[in-house]
Amino acid sequence: MLSKALFRLGASAARHPWRVIAAWLIATTLAVLAAIAIGGRTADSMTAPGLDSQQAAELIERAGTGQQGMTAQVVVTPLDDGATFFDHGSARTALTRLQTEVQRLPHVLGTSDPAGALDAGGDTAVRGGLVSADGWIAVVRVQYPDQSRLSAEDLDALVDLGDRLRAELPLRIEMGGNLFYAFSDPDGGVSELIGLLAAAAILFLAFGSLVAAALPIGMAVFGLTIGVATMTVLAGVTDVPTFAPVLGSMVGLGVGIDYALFVLARHREYLARGLDPHEAAGRAVATAGRPVVFAGGVVVVSILGLAVANVPFMTVGGLAVSIVVLIMVVASVTLLPAFLGVAGSRLGRAGRIGRALRAGRSGRLGRRRDTVAGAAPAAGWRRWIEHVSRHPVPYAVGAAGLLLTATLPVLGLRVGLPDDGSLPHSRTERRAYDLVAEGFGPGTNGPLVIAADPAGDPGVLDRLVGAVAADPGIASVAPTHVDRATGIATLVVFPTTSPQDKATADTLARLRTDVLPTAIGHGPARAHVGGAAASLSDVGQRTSERLPAFVAAVLAMSFLLLMLVFRSVLVPLKAVLLNLLSIGAAYGIMVAVFQWGWGGALIGLEATVPIVSFIPMFLFAILFGLSMDYEVFLLSRVREEYLRTGDNGTAIVEGVSGTARIITSAALIMVAVFLSFAVAEDPSTKMFGLGLATAIFIDATVVRMVLVPATMTLLGRTNWWLPKWLDRMLPRGPVGTDDTDAQSTGEAPRPRLVDR
């Protein structure tokens, strides 16, 4: 029995707390030392097997031109407003020195030479895309080898050089390129601190005790430290995407504190009944710990399901985040009960400040008896649930209509990847992006690289160049480079529109389906379109194609697991549908904010952007798992009451109102943690933060406090209907909720369900 094992684990940790805490300290120290010794830096590799852009990269790699590697660009303009590169000697000299210094950096394969292009003549310079038509903006393009041969030290070297030359040259120097995208440090730090402080405040208000508020925070910090250190070690073995530590911190803090809150609330209930602290900790882990283990397992399995997309960086990112969640689950059933054992009976009462706050709210300062968070349903919540249960139809229809309305913007969902133009003006990448767009056109920020293998057809390259240049979506085509050994040709082409513009995606699709096939004909020659913009577009298309299968798999898995836990068909079906509604509403709000710009200024969004291609799939995996936390916690209590009383109405009122305070506190913590990341600079981090916060808020309010009691009231006793033949087939064990689980904690056995 899972409950028996958890009871023994929790009670043992509470009786021998210092042994457990010492073990966690040792594990944390070893993880940090391993991260320092063999850890690596996060890096983004937006590729996937079988994509057209990947085939282009493989051709370029065969040609050995180096264009399959990483790139950066240094964008400069004179500081003297009255000068141009054409007539100001000091600016020309400074530009030459800049290009020479960049060329000397480690691992740089080559750079463009805007000063040399100027010497060749104005028209040539403009056609080369190195100096703007007015001579005011110049670009030094830097070519690096493949990402596997680079590290964050290469980015640091380039940035340090720029900082030094800004002080020595009469130039304004800005930098950008995919080297920054791959190796820039992710947002975090401040957001994590804000989230922790907000969580601490909510926990104190919920429990009225500094000690009780500190325990979940302490547990989460332990788990997060080990989790991030493990990610760093993993980054030393494979490419861990830069968003993984940010997302891991977000999800880790949220679920860690939530899981601790559930266990702590049950522990205080048992203390209020007069149980010994060790016994109370064991029972708390046995009862609240079981939903925690189940919900955490659903989160882990859902996130690992991202492998279905067959996009390596998503698979590795999901693995990294799931490790953090798994560590938080283990901490909740081992480290937390050890903390509870150290705290002893002090957790059974509110602190002096907490008593004053509660008494002040009631108007009976000093006379109100201490309450225990979660010990009894608050009268206000009970009245609300009873009210909803008396009017289930209007509340069910109204709430469902509200969520469906919020979901409507999803019909206009457009995936892509926000480029540097969506970053705040405080970032050098944004300033470089704006200068390039101003001097050369928006498409220069997202060049496409066409790799062609003529396969012995001498005329195919001329036809290819002519057809591509004639396309209305192409602004210019750089001179063709042909590798003599392999015959493979590479063409760098510049679209007329920016990388995140929908028209650029249309141009890319047109090149692949119409322009290139027509130019090549039916011979053995072949051509593929690559480059950073094409790779990101291809990854987005693949994730969109795989999303329906992934959603179906997660829904089916969740339905089966919930059916095992609650021995019911309709309860898991209802849970799956309601979770789908809340996630759909979150998607709709994201589209309204990021694509339409509604309220974007509130989170520091300076321009509308498409939804990052891989975020919908990631959000679905995480949110569906997280929503199961509340579902399992709430329905476990409802089922307990139904087993005890046999009355569906009483079970709904007692179960929902009895968990309302804890679920509300847990949701507020998650919302606070996630919103602290919604104000980060990077649009992807903003999307993760706002999407998670919105979905959790909707799930804990509209769904849990309105739709769940309304629909369960309408279903009546059929909530717990399970065909006898199916009941015989379903296993009873660690996952299933067997009625004898209560015996593992010493509680009186409850009657079995007969409504099957």
Side-chain angles (χ1 to χ4, degrees), residues 34-45 147-148 150-157 159-160 179-186 228-245 316:
I36 295 172
I38 61 175
R41 295 281 295 270
T42 58
D44 288 313
S45 179
Q147 181 174 333
S148 62
L150 301 175
S151 69
E153 293 178 358
D154 294 285
L155 175 60
D156 295 339
V159 171
D160 291 343
L179 185 72
F180 282 79
Y181 180 80
F183 294 111
S184 292
D185 289 328
V228 173
T230 304
M231 279 192 200
T232 306
V233 173
L234 186 62
V237 179
T238 185
D239 288 334
V240 175
T242 54
F243 66 79
V316 176

Side-chain angles (χ1 to χ4, degrees), residues 569-587:
V569 172
L570 295 181
V571 163
L573 179 62
K574 172 192 63 65
V576 165
L577 294 177
L578 295 186
N579 289 342
L580 205 55
L581 268 180
S582 62
I583 294 173
Y587 280 0

Side-chain angles (χ1 to χ4, degrees), residues 51 158 161 165 254 278 302 307 322 401 441 454 458 481 530 555 567 592 643 722 749:
L51 298 178
L158 180 62
L161 176 63
L165 293 182
H278 301 159
S302 297
S322 65
H481 181 281
L555 293 179
R567 319 297 297 182
L643 287 168
L722 184 70

